[in-house]
Amino acid sequence: MIPGSFSYHRPSSVQEAVGLLAKLGDDGRALAGGHSLIPMMKLRLAEPAHLVDLAGIADLKGIRSDGNDIVIGAMTTQHDVIGSDHLGAKIPLLRETSLQIADPQVRYVGTLGGNVANGDPGNDMPAVMLCLGATYHVTGKGGERRVPAREFYQGAYFTALEAGDVLTAVRIPVPAAGHGAAYEKLKRKIGDYATAAAAVVLTMSGGKVATCSIGLTNVAETPLWAEEASKILTGSALDAATVKKAVAAAEAITAPASDARGPAHYRTKMAGVMLTRALARAKAKARG
Ligand SMILES: Cc1cc2nc3c(=O)[nH]c(=O)nc-3n(C[C@H](O)[C@H](O)[C@H](O)COP(=O)(O)OP(=O)(O)OC[C@H]3O[C@@H](n4cnc5c(N)ncnc54)[C@H](O)[C@@H]3O)c2cc1C
């Protein structure tokens, strides 16, 4: 289908974009890579009268270190994330996850900021951001604020972003050297959204789990941070009985929809299978 008609704006600074979006209110929408928004517009599920394209704002692009954090500009594409050796060395989970998003064509234009701002529970990066303890930089009418990813997602397509807000960057603390991480995603075919997926970051010490964090994708209206499951695993040697208990705790917080990817019960169980696999792979990669 063809989208409804809209006016196109191309600001060259964050301030200009925020000013435009604040003035336009519900009639305006930020445009990043367009690979979630344009399909929605073609289906007439979104009909913004104005699109504010963020592509002309140089400040929104790039990957830099800031102390022990890595800060990634919102308009950095998934392709850029995959191509960054710096990120690959410091937070390899980001490259691993990006490679499981859609296909190369989508990744060339789809942005990290768009993926995390979209609020679609099917997006892969949000659960990874919960797992990594990321913080989002948001600029709005009242200036800049920082929102922890773990507090950002409030419902399907409903986030902490308010009218006029632009998500400018994602700040991620670099996990400890020697950590292990994995993203396991079950999909029906290449390029599909997850039936269920699990992200794990852990550190090991003396053969036992010293720290552990788990995120789950597409098994609720929002991405999930499986805090209780992580607590169960901490201090264990990831033996089968403890993993089973943690998987049960993770499954218990899921509430997936029954849809073309399978009935709710199946998707919950697949989240457990993905978590089991991610834990095993993360452990194999971890030193200590
Ligand atoms: C065929 C296909 C398969 C796909 N498969 C997957 C998949 O497996 N996994 C996955 O995670 N994604 C998948 N996607 C989605 C893709 O990753 C999108 O690129 C991503 O979800 C949105 O990023 P974008 O830059 O395209 O944002 P856009 O589509 O431009 O924007 C998405 C939403 O976020 C808002 N927004 C964007 N940037 C900002 C910002 N900086 N500040 C405030 N609001 C902002 C927009 O207003 C809009 O509401 C797929 C897309 C397609 C077309």
Side-chain angles (χ1 to χ4, degrees), residues 31 52 86 96 122 125 128 138 151 158 211 217 229:
L31 174 70
V52 178
H86 182 55
E96 179 177 327
M125 279 300 177
V128 171
V138 177
E151 295 169 14
F158 187 49
T211 61
T217 297

Side-chain angles (χ1 to χ4, degrees), residues 21 29-39 54 60 74-75 78 100-103 106-107 109-120 122-126 161 165-168 185 187 191-194:
L21 286 165
R29 208 61 184 266
L31 174 70
H35 270 53
S36 287
L37 183 53
I38 304 281
L54 306 178
L60 294 180
M75 289 299 287
Q78 290 147 16
Q100 298 187 58
I101 293 176
D103 49 48
V106 172
R107 299 196 296 256
V109 280
T111 65
L112 180 66
N115 200 289
V116 300
N118 193 28
D120 181 343
N123 281 136
D124 288 293
M125 279 300 177
L161 288 181
D165 282 347
V166 172
L167 189 149
T168 56
K185 173 175 175 180
K187 48 188 188 282
D192 194 16
Y193 290 89

Side-chain angles (χ1 to χ4, degrees), residues 206-252:
K208 300 226 162 121
V209 176
T211 61
C212 178
S213 184
I214 296 166
L216 301 174
T217 297
N218 219 10
V219 283
E221 286 214 335
T222 63
L224 298 173
W225 184 47
E227 190 176 11
E228 182 58 29
S230 305
K231 277 188 191 153
I232 291 169
L233 292 162
T234 304
S236 81
L238 283 176
D239 56 281
T242 310
V243 168
K244 202 170 159 193
K245 222 169 121 191
V247 164
E251 288 178 0

Side-chain angles (χ1 to χ4, degrees), residues 125-272:
M125 279 300 177
V128 171
M129 294 304 158
L130 305 194
C131 181
L132 287 163
T135 301
Y136 300 155
H137 294 207
V138 177
T139 300
K141 285 172 281 185
E144 193 197 272
R145 63 187 195 280
R146 295 188 182 187
V147 186
R150 291 172 191 165
E151 295 169 14
F152 185 79
Y153 299 98
Q154 300 168 355
Y157 298 101
F158 187 49
T159 69
L161 288 181
E162 290 164 13
D165 282 347
V166 172
L167 189 149
T168 56
V170 173
R171 174 179 289 270
I172 309 168
V174 175
H179 77 277
Y183 189 66
E184 283 285 337
K185 173 175 175 180
L186 177 67
K187 48 188 188 282
R188 297 170 300 178
K189 61 179 177 56
I190 291 293
D192 194 16
Y193 290 89
T195 300
V200 168
V201 175
L202 54 74
T203 57
M204 303 288 291
S205 174
K208 300 226 162 121
V209 176
T211 61
C212 178
S213 184
I214 296 166
L216 301 174
T217 297
N218 219 10
V219 283
E221 286 214 335
T222 63
L224 298 173
W225 184 47
E227 190 176 11
E228 182 58 29
S230 305
K231 277 188 191 153
I232 291 169
L233 292 162
T234 304
S236 81
L238 283 176
D239 56 281
T242 310
V243 168
K244 202 170 159 193
K245 222 169 121 191
V247 164
E251 288 178 0
I253 62 167
T254 67
S258 294
D259 62 14
R261 293 184 175 81
H265 179 69
Y266 166 74
R267 296 181 61 191
T268 289
K269 284 294 155 197
M270 288 308 101

Side-chain angles (χ1 to χ4, degrees), residues 77-113:
T77 65
Q78 290 147 16
H79 175 75
D80 294 334
V81 169
I82 293 165
S84 164
D85 290 337
H86 182 55
L87 264 188
K90 295 283 185 185
I91 318 179
L93 182 60
L94 295 180
R95 179 182 279 170
E96 179 177 327
T97 306
S98 296
L99 281 166
Q100 298 187 58
I101 293 176
D103 49 48
Q105 287 94 329
V106 172
R107 299 196 296 256
Y108 267 118
V109 280
T111 65
L112 180 66

